[in-house]
Amino acid sequence: MSKTKANTYVLDLISAGADLAITYTSQDCSELARELSGEFSITAKAFKCDTADSKEVDQSVQKIKKGFGKDVDIAICNAGPFRRMLGCVRR
């Protein structure tokens, strides 16, 4: 799946009211989560997670479930700068 296609799926889901958990490895995405929460009237939260570490992924899933108070319904794996690509998708 291309990164642009993955971003389009995310935008479609949050436009329909889906809540969003954003994972990141180095650059904190909390600001992006706040922006998307406001713009789309959803709950978006950022979680640090090294997806190359399976234990960390398991721990992050638990943190996400606790943070939202529900299970994860959909996971879209998309390594790349969403903020930069978001502008490309919206055009």
Side-chain angles (χ1 to χ4, degrees), residues 24-39:
Y24 64 92
T25 53
S26 58
Q27 183 179 0
D28 189 335
C29 291
S30 297
E31 181 183 335
L32 175 61
R34 281 190 296 275
E35 289 174 13
L36 293 172
S37 290
E39 183 174 344

Side-chain angles (χ1 to χ4, degrees), residues 28 45 76 88 91:
D28 189 335
K45 299 179 182 184
I76 299 175
C88 296
R91 290 179 206 195

Side-chain angles (χ1 to χ4, degrees), residues 41-89:
S41 299
I42 59 160
T43 299
K45 299 179 182 184
F47 299 86
K48 186 168 181 15
C49 177
D50 179 358
T51 56
D53 181 339
S54 64
K55 283 186 180 181
E56 193 168 327
V57 171
D58 291 341
Q59 292 170 346
S60 292
V61 169
Q62 294 307 312
K63 288 178 186 175
I64 292 167
K65 288 169 72 170
K66 185 176 180 179
F68 285 94
K70 57 186 172 185
D71 287 332
V72 174
D73 294 318
I74 300 169
I76 299 175
C77 300
N78 180 34
F82 184 77
R83 182 183 308 276
R84 184 178 73 218
M85 296 166 77
L86 187 61
C88 296
V89 172

